[in-house]
Amino acid sequence: MKAKFLIPLVLFVILVGFLAVGLNRDPQEIPSPLIGKQAPAFELPQLADPEKTFSPESMKGKPWILNVWASWCVACREEHPVLVELGKLQVAPIIGLDYKDKRDDAMAMLARQGDPYLLSAFDAKGRVGIDYGVYGVPETYVIDKTGVIRFKHIGPITMELLRKKIIPLLDELK
């Protein structure tokens, strides 16, 4: 008889436990099945020079950052000054993946706001974005020197995220 009254209490404690765990998680960190796995291979034309192509294979031997962006993305414009600062620090090459964009609009944005990228690959149809599991732009990946994805961030990068997570991770991967 007493056990019957304890069931709601036990369920309440379990529910509070799940809520406590959920509230302590970073909503920007969504687990990705790609973490710890080889970055998907691709070959795309470069944004600034469509005659040249880019492939992640060319980055093997050094950690690098892949930033998925687009000129139509408001959050990307907010993030862009942080990327420009990161580019000045030269902690790792930053490769842009211009996602479902118009070439002229993307080039105009980089001319207007600065170009933090070593280069940008032009993913006009978004096929590579699908392979990377892009939810939306901006998204950022840290890829180690063997081509394995070590970190993924959804949403704009902040200076705090750079200082606390991305730069220490890149230092560790060197």
Side-chain angles (χ1 to χ4, degrees):
M1 182 83 170
K2 286 184 180 180
K4 193 174 184 181
F5 294 110
L6 289 176
I7 292 173
L9 179 63
V10 170
L11 291 175
F12 177 75
V13 169
I14 291 170
L15 180 64
V16 169
F18 280 121
L19 288 173
V21 170
L23 290 174
N24 288 318
R25 299 183 99 185
D26 182 356
Q28 299 293 318
E29 284 190 21
I30 297 174
S32 170
L34 294 177
I35 301 294
K37 294 190 177 158
Q38 201 70 29
F42 65 87
E43 185 169 340
L44 286 173
Q46 294 184 18
L47 176 67
D49 187 353
E51 300 299 318
K52 295 181 180 175
T53 60
F54 170 77
S55 169
E57 187 70 25
S58 65
M59 299 304 291
K60 285 211 171 160
K62 55 191 157 207
W64 57 289
I65 297 169
L66 178 67
N67 177 254
V68 184
W69 67 281
S71 64
W72 48 263
C73 164
V74 174
C76 297
R77 282 183 247 139
E78 293 172 11
E79 175 191 60
H80 205 78
V82 175
L83 291 172
V84 170
E85 288 302 311
L86 178 62
K88 289 177 185 172
L89 296 174
Q90 297 184 341
V91 292
I94 308 170
I95 303 296
L97 180 65
D98 186 25
Y99 181 72
K100 294 185 176 179
D101 207 351
K102 293 178 182 170
R103 187 180 300 273
D104 291 342
D105 294 346
M107 292 299 295
M109 180 180 154
L110 294 178
R112 194 175 46 250
Q113 291 192 291
D115 188 352
Y117 304 110
L118 180 65
L119 62 92
S120 283
F122 188 56
D123 187 16
K125 295 181 179 175
R127 306 289 291 165
V128 172
I130 291 170
D131 292 343
Y132 275 76
V134 171
Y135 288 91
V137 289
E139 288 191 11
T140 303
Y141 300 81
V142 175
I143 301 171
D144 73 13
K145 56 179 120 181
T146 64
V148 173
I149 295 175
R150 297 297 182 173
F151 176 74
K152 176 181 179 179
H153 178 76
I154 297 171
I157 291 176
T158 62
M159 289 304 288
E160 182 181 359
L161 181 68
L162 279 181
R163 281 192 306 269
K164 289 185 175 177
K165 196 137 198 173
I166 294 177
I167 292 174
L169 176 61
L170 287 166
D171 287 342
E172 180 184 311
L173 295 175
K174 286 183 179 174

